[in-house]
Amino acid sequence: MGDKKVNCCSVSRNNHSGTDKAVGLKDVVSKSITQKDNMILLPSGEFLMGTDDQIGFPNDGEGPVRHVKIDSFYIDAYAVTNEQFAEFIKETHYVTEAERYRWSFVFYLFVPEEKKKVSKQLPQTPWWYAVEGANWKCPEGEGSTIETRLDHPVIHISWNDAVAYCQWAGKRLPTEAEWEYAARGGLHQKTYPWGNKLTYKGKYQCNIWQGEFPVRNKETDGYVGTAPVNAFAPNGFGLYNVSGNVWEWCSDWFSPTHASKDHYMNPNGPSSGKAKVIKGGSYLCHKSYCNRYRVAARSSNTIDSSTGNMGFRCAADA
């Protein structure tokens, strides 16, 4: 892959004109309530973060490999689900940025033909449509529903939305270093959370694209869109779906370069930036195009962006 910079999975609002300007995060969340259910307490530890592997994307800042020390922290075993997010909305009446903008990005296979006629495509990524009415509770626009996907990860979530949920839940977003430490599951410099081979005994271990992107998805893993948050086996630390399914927001600002240090203690990224780190890849990732479902892979998006394959999981201090 080398320096090839292509990303089928992530698309930003700043590439498209919205019908409304979203407002910033408002003080609409309830008082913090600490919830440690379904969270995993990870011990402090050290690991090698990033990769110098030739299958990676150097321009993304995957390397060089850094020796990182992490203090103990909690992290969700699962990405936040539609059911959990609905509880947050019910209690706080928070309005997501996709709802404020009145549109969000939907992958073309999920856009009804009548909506394609009135939705705009991005020239550089024509498989994304800006669909009016698409948001967390109507993932494909008006008329769609999450009723049969309550245990799927919530999508169409901006970084600001994720932060609002975390504040309500008494949690926070993980740093990129915490996320990667947890996603590796105790393995040393492996490509995936389970090892170096994509499949195990001929079976896929995550929800990604099989076939020819973006034309045909063979659905060999059993899913064409999102999968339940507990699909597939967990990694060595007990985390589910840290590869594929949905991109997950981190707290760090994104930079393709890293400070020159021999050791890093609880790194949290640069002090400012234009976009936030996202990790894990999604159901749209394919090795021929966007091989970013590897644990060391990384990408970014602006804090107000939302798509049909972006969600999050929470962390908390120990």
Side-chain angles (χ1 to χ4, degrees):
M1 291 278 182
D3 290 342
K4 187 179 179 184
K5 177 64 176 176
V6 288
N7 197 341
C8 57
C9 294
S10 177
V11 62
S12 302
R13 286 196 188 278
N14 59 8
N15 290 328
H16 186 88
S17 297
T19 56
D20 234 2
K21 184 178 181 180
V23 299
L25 177 64
K26 298 296 183 181
D27 187 19
V28 297
V29 295
S30 66
K31 64 180 181 180
S32 296
I33 52 174
T34 301
Q35 299 175 340
K36 294 298 189 290
D37 51 309
N38 290 324
M39 297 195 87
I40 298 168
L41 177 61
L42 296 185
S44 59
E46 304 179 20
F47 77 109
L48 294 179
M49 183 175 178
T51 186
D52 295 317
D53 196 296
Q54 63 180 0
I55 68 173
F57 297 91
N59 285 348
D60 284 354
E62 292 185 17
V65 174
R66 289 93 68 199
H67 185 214
V68 172
K69 295 182 179 180
I70 295 289
D71 285 336
S72 178
F73 67 100
Y74 285 95
I75 192 165
D76 286 346
Y78 315 104
V80 173
T81 65
N82 283 313
E83 184 174 25
Q84 290 172 314
F85 200 79
E87 181 183 358
F88 159 63
I89 296 296
K90 181 179 179 180
E91 290 196 12
T92 65
H93 305 291
Y94 178 80
V95 180
T96 64
E97 294 202 281
E99 292 170 286
R100 295 181 188 276
Y101 275 110
R102 299 199 293 271
W103 64 271
S104 189
F105 290 109
V106 180
F107 190 64
Y108 83 101
L109 286 181
F110 308 137
V111 181
E113 289 302 319
E114 63 272 16
K115 283 188 171 65
K116 288 181 180 178
K117 297 176 182 178
V118 296
S119 302
K120 293 184 178 180
Q121 294 171 276
L122 296 185
Q124 65 273 36
T125 52
W127 44 84
W128 285 111
Y129 280 80
V131 177
E132 289 193 13
N135 55 56
W136 74 274
K137 59 185 175 182
C138 301
E140 292 77 50
E142 186 177 354
S144 61
T145 178
I146 57 170
E147 288 183 3
T148 61
R149 290 175 275 182
L150 293 178
D151 60 347
H152 286 225
V154 63
I155 53 176
H156 296 294
I157 298 299
S158 73
W159 187 87
N160 287 328
D161 298 334
V163 168
Y165 178 94
C166 288
Q167 289 181 357
W168 166 78
K171 303 178 183 181
R172 60 175 173 81
L173 288 176
T175 66
E176 180 182 7
E178 288 174 335
W179 191 98
E180 188 169 325
Y181 174 68
R184 288 186 178 277
L187 299 182
H188 175 75
Q189 279 287 288
K190 299 299 184 182
T191 306
Y192 309 109
W194 54 86
N196 286 327
K197 293 184 177 179
L198 181 58
T199 59
Y200 178 71
K201 294 184 178 180
K203 294 184 178 181
Y204 278 90
Q205 303 301 301
C206 62
N207 178 19
I208 55 175
W209 188 280
Q210 296 92 41
E212 181 185 355
F213 183 86
V215 179
R216 178 172 176 251
N217 188 345
K218 296 180 180 179
E219 302 177 47
T220 312
D221 58 22
Y223 303 96
V224 64
T226 57
V229 295
N230 62 351
F232 307 97
N235 71 1
F237 286 157
L239 277 73
Y240 289 77
N241 291 342
V242 281
S243 281
N245 214 23
V246 293
W247 282 102
E248 298 183 8
W249 289 107
C250 294
S251 63
D252 308 43
W253 289 107
F254 179 87
S255 174
T257 60
H258 309 282
S260 298
K261 297 179 181 178
D262 292 330
H263 293 80
Y264 296 79
M265 184 68 184
N266 297 318
N268 54 14
S271 59
S272 61
K274 296 181 179 180
K276 292 288 187 174
V277 172
I278 51 176
K279 296 280 284 186
S282 81
Y283 60 84
L284 295 179
C285 284
H286 186 267
K287 65 180 180 180
S288 69
Y289 199 86
C290 177
N291 186 15
R292 290 180 175 86
Y293 45 90
R294 297 166 292 107
V295 287
R298 60 203 301 263
S299 191
S300 65
N301 215 330
T302 57
I303 62 174
D304 65 343
S305 293
S306 62
T307 68
N309 64 342
M310 289 177 59
F312 69 106
R313 76 179 68 214
C314 304
D317 295 335

